[in-house]
Amino acid sequence: MGKNNKIQESLLRHQDLNMKELELKRLLEQTQEVAKSVGAFIRKERQHFDVKNVEHKGFNDLVSYVDKEAERQIVERLSEIFPEAGFITEEGTNTTRAEKYNWVIDPLDGTTNFIHGLPIFSVSIALMDRDEVILGVVYEINLHECFYAIKGGGAFCNETSIRVSSAPDLGASLIATGFPYYNFELIDKYLATLKSLMQCTHGLRRFGSAAVDLAYVAAGRIEGFFEYNLNSYDVAAGALIVQEAGGKVTDFSGGKDYIFGREILATNSKIHEEFFAELNRIWSA
């Protein structure tokens, strides 16, 4: 009888685990729908957007009514889908944090591109379970590409499985980065890093959306991405997607403080140690 009870308890635990996994998958599908719906709104607004509607949150830190309305829509929809969760948002639409689950939202990652009519900008939504990202969606609006992952479930783009590239070293790699736009205290180290990478890689790209940069690492289009002075909502979703696609993500010290630590290095794993060594050589000087 005791043995049967243990088997039954084990089955119930397994069933509960499966139910949680199924719930997370369902939540992922709903989150994708939210990202695509809001992406459609952003795409429509871009057609008649007037640069006079731009506001300045700080030096070179731009925002528009589109960012704010997109975030309002996301928060409203996610609150209905998963009311137990709190929020970490770029525009401050909702700043109520929960003890366990929190949505991390960038409603329009690549605002400067959007304002100038350049084609790379995205919606980025992540769900954190305390300090761990368990769900991530990055929707690149112009190409209608939805990158997504849940913890332990692999990474996908538009229902197709994606993997990081197999490039073995920096010499076979294309690298993306983001330029600092208001904190220039580390500009000399950053420029020294660019100089080094220009001479030992296939080249450098600056797309203007950290979320898209990370998604492109996950999809194997580029081998690595690094940037400093970022926020959690810039990287949370993309970092999970990279990891689930077989990549590696750390901060500049090789640690795990890349969500809130304001610096990130993401690669296809194979080039990570070489990339980190070069980055560390310059940034620790």
Side-chain angles (χ1 to χ4, degrees), residues 17 32 35 76-77 102 104 121 130 133 138-139 145 194 198 203 222 229 245 279 284:
L17 179 64
Q32 289 179 72
E76 182 178 355
R77 294 277 300 278
N102 285 286
V104 186
F121 42 88
R130 292 191 169 89
V133 182
V138 173
Y139 179 55
E145 289 189 320
L194 297 185
M198 286 176 190
I222 55 178
N229 206 38
L279 198 63
S284 62

Side-chain angles (χ1 to χ4, degrees), residues 227-243:
E227 189 172 350
Y228 74 91
N229 206 38
L230 291 171
N231 293 292
S232 58
Y233 41 77
D234 297 311
V235 301
L240 175 66
I241 297 169
V242 170
Q243 292 167 326

Side-chain angles (χ1 to χ4, degrees), residues 31-69:
T31 306
Q32 289 179 72
E33 291 174 5
V34 171
K36 291 176 182 178
S37 174
V38 173
F41 160 75
I42 294 171
R43 190 164 50 245
K44 182 179 178 182
E45 293 302 308
R46 178 53 249 175
Q47 294 173 7
H48 54 79
F49 184 79
D50 190 332
V51 72
K52 288 185 291 186
N53 292 315
V54 174
E55 301 173 23
H56 290 258
K57 292 188 288 185
F59 180 71
N60 282 339
D61 194 2
L62 308 177
V63 67
S64 74
Y65 74 90
V66 179
D67 302 69
K68 295 177 180 179
E69 175 58 20

